[in-house]
Every structure is written in structure tokens, then in C-alpha cells.
Amino acid sequence: LDPNDAAALALKLAAGIAEWPLDVPAFLGAVNRCKDASLRSGEKLSEHLGVSDAIERVFSSADALNSSFIAPSERRDRARSDGVGEDDGGDDDSLSSEETNPPLDPATRRVRDALKLDFDELLDVYQAIESLGSLFVGILLASFARLLESLGDGPTAWSRAGHSLIRLVLIVLEC
């Protein structure tokens, strides 16, 4: 998010008129707990409700979806500007994105860089949702339908969304 969008989102969140972005590690953990066979039925139901609520909350909200799945370089830049996650000079044992993902063609790289969208993280979330079965995929699709309805009808409503609309449409198409 650019500084103006980040500030606008912070104000919306403080006023309670926007949804928080998806906490991907927490969401993936909740999905894994849903699949835990050792849970009692009441615990499993609670986990399923939490995951379905997260899907509905994030994927039906333009604000939440546009502030989720931010590319790793963008997250590092934002953390540095906030003074969080400063490099302590220590060795980082994690692999760079170049080491874990095959190189992209230049055009694809430019699109990803311009949209600041983490397609790999988005794919992880979609695959996690899909692993829970058709009910959860249906919740995702219904949430997308509510999102598109919330944008309104006609070219004027869609043109107001601007650059953010491109991110939303790509997220929907990737899922």
C-alpha cells in the first residue's frame, strides 16, 4: 500500500468501518487445526466457524482484500518505515524468493511488482481453503459475489476503485 492508502485504511480501521487484512499464518494454522482428527466435534466446529468467518470477512471486503497478500518486498519496506523488523545484521536462514520460486518472465515480474501482490501467498490460502472441501470453496465464492455487489453497478462505480480494482479482480481470478 502506498502511504496515502495505508493512512486511509488506518483511519477506516480505527473508525470500525473497514475489515482487517488477513493474517495468513494464523489463517493457515486455523485451517490445519480444522483438519486435525484428534479434535472433539465441538472443538472442530469452533475451528470451522472461525475459518468460515475469516473467509467471509476478508474476501467480501474490498479494504481487507486490498490490504492482504502484499508482496514480501512491500511488507519489508512498510516494516522498515514503521521501525519494525530492522535488520540486526545476523544471518537469515530463510531462503530468498529467487531460491524458492522459479524466475518469472520480465512482463509478469513488472505486473507483480506494480500490483505489489503476493501471488504465492494467495495460492497458499486458496489451496488451504480448497483442502477443506466444497463447502468452504462455496463460502469463498459467495464472499466474492458480495464483494462485487458492494462495488455497485455501472462504469462509474468501478472506475472509482481504480488501481485497487485491478488487485481485487486478480485476486478473484487467481482463486
Side-chain angles (χ1 to χ4, degrees):
L1 297 174
D2 70 22
N4 289 336
D5 289 341
L9 179 61
L11 290 172
K12 287 179 178 180
L13 290 169
I17 58 173
E19 296 291 339
W20 286 90
L22 182 65
D23 180 346
V24 173
F27 179 80
L28 295 176
V31 168
N32 285 332
R33 286 189 300 278
C34 281
K35 296 187 277 186
D36 185 351
S38 68
L39 290 178
R40 292 187 311 239
S41 61
E43 294 171 324
K44 194 166 226 168
L45 177 61
S46 176
E47 291 296 335
H48 277 85
L49 289 173
V51 168
S52 66
D53 287 347
I55 293 169
E56 289 177 17
R57 180 185 62 77
V58 171
F59 289 93
S60 64
S61 165
D63 288 324
L65 203 50
N66 269 320
S67 56
S68 300
F69 310 111
I70 296 174
S73 62
E74 182 73 9
R75 284 193 296 263
R76 281 192 302 272
D77 293 346
R78 187 178 347 154
R80 265 190 233 114
S81 70
D82 293 342
V84 183
E86 294 286 331
D87 186 8
D88 59 4
D91 292 335
D92 185 6
D93 293 334
S94 64
L95 297 174
S96 72
S97 63
E98 288 80 20
E99 294 167 335
T100 59
N101 299 318
L104 299 171
D105 65 87
T108 302
R109 171 65 48 211
R110 281 192 302 275
V111 168
R112 284 188 177 196
D113 290 347
L115 293 175
K116 298 172 176 62
L117 185 58
D118 188 339
F119 286 88
D120 299 323
E121 191 175 69
L122 177 60
L123 180 61
D124 290 344
V125 167
Y126 176 72
Q127 288 174 338
I129 293 170
E130 188 178 44
S131 74
L132 292 174
S134 61
L135 174 65
F136 288 87
V137 173
I139 293 168
L140 175 67
L141 294 175
S143 299
F144 282 147
R146 280 192 302 283
L147 169 68
L148 295 175
E149 287 172 10
S150 74
L151 293 175
D153 292 332
T156 306
W158 285 70
S159 66
R160 283 191 311 248
H163 183 76
S164 300
L165 179 64
I166 295 170
R167 287 187 94 251
L168 292 174
V169 169
L170 281 174
I171 289 171
V172 170
L173 291 175
E174 281 294 310
C175 286

